[in-house]
């Protein structure tokens, strides 16, 4: 038979006699009491005696108090767990011969009431007679209480006639139901039908009751109505040999073995020799008090069934009851002595096993007792260290692998760094990666192991297995780096591609293998965002070796193959901008120019149109195609600062001849043509602002002496004086005059003052320019731009000019002035005559009478009759034709009122100073404007004798009409 190992995992705590109060029956001798029943719970141990007394004991079996629930023996009792209630069955006074003396009582231990002056007892909340007419009296052999939802109790009472009386309900309120379960009906032999054990099994809503007799094991399904019975086995056991495990398995003990039962029948059985006097279950251990038939001795064994060992074994006296409280096992003997046995802590048990080198037992122990993972790993580590010290490296590594996740990997790795143990180390590192606990260093070490072993098959299996790629298995970057260093480029590329690390894949292709075409194909297969990122990083190398193909990929990325049907502003803003890729062309401006030209041919409404045009202008206008500002951009400098600080290439060793070669000149001329075309096309006539930076364009044109571009920009900006300054600086007289003819015509919106600047230029030139001066004077004379005196003063500064240049101009001006003077004198004479005539008329009106001789009404042309009205303007009217207006001549009143309105307007205008000065500034002859204001009396005369400045208020005009 299998020999069980014995260990001392339990120890005796303390032992003592159960202290009971002395009886007071009037005798001198105290009668020795017998313990009939025991129970435990809620930190108490309860004993019932044959005289009806119940005693309570605290920790250490110290007596607490006692009371007498029954007048005679206490047969059964149970301490409830959910509520502090005690349920007892005992004998009381028999009221009638027909009624049984046995009754069931429920005590509330939280409520104490005084019995006498010296003693107290718990409050009895319910008393129930067990046997009635419907439930005949029989001997009680077992008793069990199940606490359902408080205050509902389910009490099962087993009898010696094979019946089970069940009482369910709230006993305190006497709301109960009774029913009977019949196990066997063997009246001939009650010893075979007596109920020797009961056990409840609660599984969700289902409730089952195990019932054991000496000859059977039955199961009642109490959730069925009526309860359904099934027989699980045809063997049984005696009293005290029944227990329930923590998994609600029924355990019965027979002389040959211990049997376990589930609701579907018999389960495992364990063969232990000897009669099972008592059976119990404690924390996963099977407890047995076994009587040796040969020697008559009793042995108390604690069995660990999972690990097949005896955790404790001791010779004991005859045991009457077995309890579990305070984390201990309490054995109460027939002589009232008690033995408390407690389990040792896990550390003590493991130390015991380690001293005996029983590591496998220790491992099984921590696993079955559900110790934490860290404790299990510590046991495995010690076992591994033991095997390592015995040079059993394979088995040691097997134990170390089980500690992964709890034991620091470096502890194991340093033990197996020897080259002779590289296979074990490789195995450990593989398991470490499988569980996703490997660091970068572990990945490096494993890959180095593969490369040292030259195990390409394992390396490929590790790298290329379907479930080994990703951050959960190993560090991708570390794997790539190690494979590259060992020249396993194929494996490194596989990892990079599988993990989506496109930058590493391209780095290997470009830097290690030089496969530029394959790199471009790979970039083409990526998504737009990924392709853009990779080109930004490796574009310099690609542009250097494969410029045409790289530009094609960039165009496709930035334009989506030129899909102009979707080329709206929103869509274009989602695509990469060409500006994002400028840095990759730092050393290849010609390729950049090709790229931007192709892009602008496909897209003309890009959100980055201004930046693109700025870059193209710099490429087109620069005399040297070296794109100086790109270095500033790449270094984080300011873009415009980069332009203004242009770096000139060093010309030495014959490079001057190269730059001045015809090929260079032709290229520069071609680029300048493109630059001028871009300047014009990017600034349409209908727009106010161009699609490039004007300040940058001006700087570029000035730096590179690009006259055509500079003239166009100045003219578009209406900076006409800067335009003619360019011609003056270039000494281009013909172009200067032609420009002034185009830009100095006021009819077409030009600035006539340009001719004055041109005249000043020729006056200060210091050389003979008679032809040009005569032509300029023609336009000055035509538009009357300058007075002759200013012309004379300006041209007098040039010593190379003679009087003959302006002789004809002066003669014409004098003749014209003479005619104007004569015309003004004639006008003066005419105004004087009109004024004299008006004064005479006024005097006549004031001093002489008027004779009205009109015979017809001016209004109706009928014969004038009385009443009639005659006005001083010699108009006559019928009174009826005038209506309500008798003071004004209807014929002359409109003219008079218009004159008054004009006067009021002129007086109002005299207060508007801004309008006056605006007219003076905008007029060719400001003096004539001032003279007009004086002539119309708008500028008021000051009072005589006013020497202290202008008078306050508005001066009234003394002018008349």
């Amino acid at each position: 038979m299998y020999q069980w190992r014995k260990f001392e995992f339990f120890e005796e705590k303390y032992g003592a006699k159960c202290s009971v109060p002395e009886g007071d029956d009037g005798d001198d001798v105290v009668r020795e009491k017998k313990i009939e029943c025991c129970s435990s719970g809620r930190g108490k141990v309860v004993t019932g005696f044959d005289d009806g007394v119940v005693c309570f004991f605290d920790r250490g079996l110290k007596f607490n108090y006692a009371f007498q629930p029954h007048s005679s023996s206490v047969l059964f009792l149970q301490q409830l767990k959910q509520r502090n209630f005690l349920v007892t069955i005992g004998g009381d006074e028999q009221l009638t011969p027909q009624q049984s003396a046995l009754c069931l009582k429920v005590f509330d231990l939280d409520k104490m009431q005084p019995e006498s002056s010296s003693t107290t007892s718990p409050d009895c909340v319910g008393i129930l007679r067990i046997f009635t007419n419907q439930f005949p009296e029989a001997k009680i052999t077992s008793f069990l209480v199940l606490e359902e939802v408080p205050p509902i109790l389910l009490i099962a009472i087993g009898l010696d006639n094979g019946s089970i009386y069940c009482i369910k309900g709230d006993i305190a309120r006497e709301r109960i139901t009774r029913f009977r379960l019949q196990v066997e009906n063997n009246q001939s032999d009650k010893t075979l039908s007596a109920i020797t054990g009961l056990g409840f099994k609660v599984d969700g809503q289902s409730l089952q009751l195990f019932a054991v007799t000496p000859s059977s094991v039955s199961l009642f399904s109490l959730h069925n109505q009526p309860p359904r019975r099934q027989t699980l086995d045809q063997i049984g056991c005696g009293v005290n040999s029944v227990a329930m495990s923590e998994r609600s398995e029924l355990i019965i003990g027979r002389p040959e073995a211990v049997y376990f039962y589930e609701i579907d029948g018999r389960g495992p059985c364990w063969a232990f020799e000897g009669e099972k006097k008592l059976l119990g279950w404690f924390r996963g251990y099977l407890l047995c008090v076994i009587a040796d038939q040969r020697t008559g001795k009793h042995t108390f064994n604690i069995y660990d069934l999972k690990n097949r060992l005896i955790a404790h074994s001791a010779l004991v006296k005859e045991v009457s009851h077995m309890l579990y409280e305070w984390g201990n096992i309490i054995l109460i003997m027939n002589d009232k002595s008690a033995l408390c046995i407690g389990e040792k802590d896990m550390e003590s048990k493991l130390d015991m096993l380690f001293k005996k080198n029983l590591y496998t037992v220790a491992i099984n122990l921590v696993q079955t007792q559900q110790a934490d993972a860290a404790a299990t790993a510590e046991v495995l580590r010690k076992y591994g260290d033991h095997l390592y010290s015995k040079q059993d490296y394979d088995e040691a590594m097997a134990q170390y692998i089980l500690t992964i996740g709890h034991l620091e990997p470096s502890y194991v790795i340093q033990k197996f760094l020897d080259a002779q143990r590289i296979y074990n180390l490789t195995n450990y590192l593989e398991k470490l990666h499988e569980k996703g606990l490997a660091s970068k260093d572990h990945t490096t070490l494993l890959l180095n192991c593969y490369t040292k072993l030259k195990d390409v098959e394992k390396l490929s299996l590790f790298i290329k297995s379907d479930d080994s790629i990703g951050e959960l298995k190993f560090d991708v970057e570390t794997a790539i780096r190690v494979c590259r260093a060992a020249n396993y480029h194929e494996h490194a590329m596989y990892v990079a591609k599988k993990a989506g690390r496109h930058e590493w894949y391209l780095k290997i292709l470009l830097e290690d293998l030089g496969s530029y075409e394959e790199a471009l194909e790979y970039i083409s297969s990526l998504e737009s965002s990924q392709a853009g990122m990779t080109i930004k990083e490796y574009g310099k190398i690609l542009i250097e070796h494969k410029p045409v193909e790289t530009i094609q990929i960039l165009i496709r990325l930035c334009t989506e193959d030129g899909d102009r049907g979707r080329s709206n502003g929103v869509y274009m803003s989602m695509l990469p901008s060409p500006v994002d890729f400028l840095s990759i062309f730092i050393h290849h401006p010609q390729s950049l120019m090709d790229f931007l030209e192709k892009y602008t041919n496909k897209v003309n409404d890009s959100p980055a149109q201004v930046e693109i045009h700025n870059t193209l202008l710099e490429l087109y206008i620069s005399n040297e195609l070296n794109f100086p500002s790109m270095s500033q951009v790449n270094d984080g400098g300011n873009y415009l600062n980069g332009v203004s600080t242009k770096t000139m290439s060093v010309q030495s060793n014959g490079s001057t001849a190269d730059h001045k070669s015809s090929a260079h000149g032709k290229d520069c001329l071609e680029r300048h043509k493109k630059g001028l075309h871009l300047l014009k096309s990017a600034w349409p006539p209908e727009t106010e602002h161009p699609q490039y930076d004007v300040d940058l364009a001006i700087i570029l044109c000035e730096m590179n002496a690009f006259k055509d571009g500079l003239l166009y920009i100045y003219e578009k900006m209406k900076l006409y004086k800067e335009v003619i300054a360019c011609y003056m600086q270039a000494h281009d007289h013909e172009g200067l005059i032609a420009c002034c003819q185009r830009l100095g015509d006021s009819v077409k919106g030009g600035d006539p003052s340009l001719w004055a600047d041109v005249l000043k230029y020729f006056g200060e030139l210091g050389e003979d320019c008679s032809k040009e001066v005569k032509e300029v004077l023609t336009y000055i004379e035509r538009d009357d731009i300058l007075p002759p005196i200013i012309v004379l003063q300006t041209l007098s500064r040039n010593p190379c000019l003679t009087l003959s240049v302006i002789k004809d101009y002066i003669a014409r001006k004098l003749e014209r002035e003479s005619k104007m003077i004569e015309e003004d004198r004639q006008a003066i004479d005419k105004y004087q005559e009109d004024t004299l005539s008006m004064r005479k008329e006024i005097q006549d009106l004031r001093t002489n009478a008027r004779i009205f001789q009109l015979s017809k009404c001016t209004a109706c042309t009928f014969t004038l009759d009385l009443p009639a009205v005659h006005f001083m303007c010699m108009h006559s009217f019928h009174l009826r034709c005038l209506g309500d207006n008798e003071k004004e001549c209807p014929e002359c009143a409109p003219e008079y009122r218009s004159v008054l309105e004009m006067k009021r307007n002129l007086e109002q205008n005299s207060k508007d100073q801004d309008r006056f000065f605006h007219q003076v500034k905008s007029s060719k002859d400001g003096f004539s404007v001032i003279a007009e204001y004086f002539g119309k009396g708008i500028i008021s005369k000051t009072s005589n004798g006013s020497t202290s400045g202008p008078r306050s208020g508005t001066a009234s005009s003394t002018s008349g009409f």
Side-chain angles (χ1 to χ4, degrees), residues 444-704:
T444 304
L445 186 57
L446 177 59
L447 293 174
N448 283 328
C449 289
Y450 286 149
T451 55
K452 292 290 184 183
L453 295 172
K454 299 187 183 301
D455 193 342
V456 180
E457 182 179 354
K458 271 199 170 184
L459 178 62
S460 301
L461 182 63
F462 177 75
I463 292 295
K464 299 182 179 181
S465 60
D466 294 336
D467 58 346
S468 64
I469 297 298
E471 297 296 335
L472 296 178
K473 294 301 179 182
F474 59 82
D475 184 73
V476 174
E477 187 172 339
T478 302
I480 296 172
R481 188 172 59 251
V482 173
C483 290
R484 286 185 67 196
N487 292 326
Y488 287 96
H489 296 121
E490 179 186 354
H491 295 80
M493 290 170 60
Y494 181 87
V495 173
K497 188 173 183 179
K498 192 76 177 288
R501 301 296 294 271
H502 312 297
E503 68 280 6
W504 279 100
Y505 189 88
L506 290 171
K507 185 187 288 289
I508 298 169
L509 282 176
L510 297 175
E511 297 180 3
D512 298 341
L513 304 178
S515 301
Y516 305 109
E517 294 182 357
E518 186 178 351
L520 289 171
E521 291 178 0
Y522 182 75
I523 292 174
S524 301
S525 65
L526 298 177
E527 296 181 356
S528 298
S529 59
Q530 292 290 342
M533 293 175 60
T534 53
I535 288 185
K536 286 180 185 178
E537 187 169 358
Y538 302 105
K540 294 180 182 179
I541 301 177
L542 295 173
I543 285 294
E544 182 178 357
H545 295 89
K546 296 289 182 180
V548 177
E549 294 81 355
T550 305
I551 290 175
Q552 288 177 352
I553 293 178
L554 288 176
I555 290 296
R556 187 170 65 254
L557 286 177
C558 297
T559 64
E560 288 293 336
D561 291 328
D563 187 0
R564 309 303 300 139
R566 299 175 59 195
S567 182
N568 51 59
V570 177
Y571 174 70
M572 291 304 299
S573 62
M574 297 171 60
L575 296 176
S577 173
V579 180
D580 299 337
F581 303 102
L582 292 184
S583 59
I584 69 175
F585 294 94
I586 180 66
H587 301 300
H588 303 278
Q590 183 64 47
S591 298
L592 175 61
M593 188 167 64
D594 296 340
F595 167 55
L596 294 180
E597 286 176 348
K598 291 179 180 179
Y599 177 80
T600 52
N601 290 336
K602 289 179 174 290
V603 180
N604 54 12
D605 53 356
S606 171
Q609 200 73 18
V610 174
E611 291 83 355
I612 295 172
H613 286 165
N614 289 343
T615 306
L616 278 175
L617 284 176
E618 184 172 1
L619 292 168
Y620 288 153
I621 297 175
S622 298
N623 290 326
E624 306 295 337
L625 193 56
N626 55 6
F627 206 8
S629 68
M630 282 301 298
S631 59
Q632 298 291 334
V633 174
N634 196 45
D635 295 337
N638 183 272
Y639 189 79
L640 289 177
N641 289 341
V643 175
S644 60
T645 58
K646 177 182 177 183
T647 57
M648 301 301 292
S649 58
V650 179
Q651 300 178 358
S652 60
N653 298 328
S655 62
T656 303
D658 294 337
H659 286 301
K660 292 184 179 180
S661 64
S662 59
H664 175 268
K666 184 177 180 181
D667 176 68
C668 183
L669 183 61
E670 185 68 24
R671 285 190 288 106
H672 282 187
K673 288 181 180 179
K674 292 181 179 180
L676 182 60
H677 179 267
L678 179 58
L679 288 173
K680 294 180 179 180
S681 61
W683 198 341
E686 65 275 5
T687 59
E688 182 179 358
H689 300 288
Q691 293 180 343
Y692 51 81
D693 190 338
V694 177
D695 294 333
L696 173 63
I698 293 175
I699 292 173
L700 291 173
C701 292
E702 288 182 347
M703 287 175 55
N704 297 280

Side-chain angles (χ1 to χ4, degrees), residues 85-187:
F85 280 13
L86 178 68
V87 182
T88 65
I89 293 179
D92 283 314
E93 296 179 358
Q94 191 170 2
L95 299 178
T96 62
Q98 291 78 17
Q99 289 184 339
S100 173
L102 293 179
C103 64
L104 182 145
K105 294 183 179 182
V106 179
F107 296 91
D108 187 350
L109 301 181
D110 290 331
K111 297 178 181 179
M112 306 296 288
Q113 60 181 7
E115 288 185 347
S116 62
S117 60
S118 60
T119 61
T120 60
S121 65
D123 185 12
C124 182
V125 297
I127 301 176
L128 192 66
R129 294 287 176 178
I130 298 175
F131 302 110
T132 63
N133 294 332
Q134 291 81 13
F135 298 91
E137 183 175 358
K139 182 181 178 181
I140 301 176
T141 57
S142 59
F143 169 71
L144 188 62
V145 180
L146 174 66
E147 297 178 77
E148 294 191 7
V149 180
I152 304 300
L153 299 178
L154 177 57
I155 302 173
I157 302 172
L159 307 176
D160 63 347
N161 59 8
S163 297
I164 302 173
Y165 289 171
C166 295
I167 303 171
K168 183 176 182 179
D170 185 358
I171 299 178
R173 298 184 180 183
E174 297 183 356
R175 298 177 180 177
I176 62 173
T177 59
R178 297 171 181 255
F179 57 93
R180 181 171 62 180
L181 305 175
Q182 188 65 38
V183 179
E184 294 182 6
N185 194 8
N186 190 356
Q187 300 295 332

Side-chain angles (χ1 to χ4, degrees), residues 720 742-754:
Y720 300 143
R742 188 176 71 258
L743 303 178
D745 191 351
S746 60
V747 178
K748 298 180 180 179
D751 184 6
S753 63
L754 296 177

Side-chain angles (χ1 to χ4, degrees), residues 296-361:
K297 294 182 179 180
H298 292 75
T299 306
F300 174 64
N301 288 337
I302 301 177
Y303 295 96
D304 185 349
L305 300 180
K306 292 182 179 179
N307 296 312
R308 290 179 173 268
L309 57 86
I310 298 176
H312 180 74
S313 182
L315 291 174
V316 294
K317 301 177 183 178
E318 189 172 352
V319 181
S320 62
H321 299 89
M322 186 185 300
L323 302 174
Y324 321 104
E325 193 61 36
W326 312 306
N328 297 327
I329 303 169
I330 303 172
L331 301 179
I332 298 178
M333 314 302 177
N334 285 342
D335 61 357
K336 298 184 189 178
S337 64
L339 180 64
C340 292
I341 301 175
E343 186 177 8
K344 295 180 180 179
D345 58 74
M346 180 62 71
E347 185 176 357
S348 300
K349 291 188 286 185
L350 292 177
D351 287 341
M352 185 187 309
L353 296 173
F354 291 153
K355 290 178 181 179
K356 298 180 180 179
N357 291 330
L358 298 175
Y359 293 99
T360 55
V361 178

Side-chain angles (χ1 to χ4, degrees), residues 707-876:
K707 175 184 173 183
D708 294 340
L710 203 59
L711 291 175
Y712 176 77
I713 296 174
Y714 283 152
E715 186 172 341
K716 287 290 291 185
M717 297 176 68
K718 299 188 183 301
L719 301 176
Y720 300 143
K721 294 186 181 297
E722 281 74 7
V723 174
I724 63 173
C726 292
Y727 285 102
M728 294 175 183
Q729 186 177 1
H731 213 66
D732 184 2
H733 296 167
E734 183 178 355
L736 176 63
I737 294 175
C739 177
C740 286
Q741 291 174 354
R742 188 176 71 258
L743 303 178
D745 191 351
S746 60
V747 178
K748 298 180 180 179
D751 184 6
S753 63
L754 296 177
W755 291 109
D757 295 336
V758 173
L759 187 66
K760 182 180 178 182
Y761 165 72
F762 285 122
E764 297 175 352
L765 188 58
E767 61 182 49
D768 187 7
C769 50
S770 302
K771 178 181 177 183
E772 290 82 357
V773 170
K774 289 181 180 180
E775 191 172 357
V776 171
L777 288 176
T778 303
Y779 293 101
I780 293 177
E781 182 182 1
R782 184 191 68 182
D783 296 333
D784 196 14
I785 297 172
L786 292 175
I789 187 63
I790 300 298
V791 173
L792 289 174
Q793 291 175 353
T794 301
L795 295 178
S796 64
R797 299 172 186 172
N798 190 343
C800 300
L801 296 177
T802 61
L803 187 60
S804 60
V805 176
I806 59 171
K807 177 180 178 182
D808 296 337
Y809 166 74
I810 295 299
R812 289 192 299 272
K813 292 295 288 185
L814 291 176
E815 182 180 359
R816 188 178 300 111
E817 293 291 338
S818 298
K819 289 182 179 179
M820 291 176 62
I821 291 173
E822 184 62 27
E823 291 175 357
D824 291 340
R825 285 178 179 174
Q826 292 176 1
I828 291 171
D829 293 340
K830 181 178 180 300
Y831 288 145
Q832 287 178 348
E833 290 176 0
D834 294 342
T835 303
L836 183 60
S837 174
M838 290 180 183
R839 288 177 177 174
K840 288 181 179 180
E841 185 178 359
I842 293 171
Q843 184 65 24
D844 184 41
L845 291 172
R846 290 178 176 176
T847 57
N848 298 325
R850 285 277 183 169
I851 300 174
F852 301 98
Q853 298 178 348
L854 290 177
S855 60
K856 293 183 178 181
C857 176
T858 305
C860 62
T861 68
F862 289 105
T863 302
L864 192 63
D865 55 3
L866 296 176
V869 178
H870 304 280
F871 291 97
M872 298 299 289
C873 58
M874 304 307 293
H875 293 143
S876 301

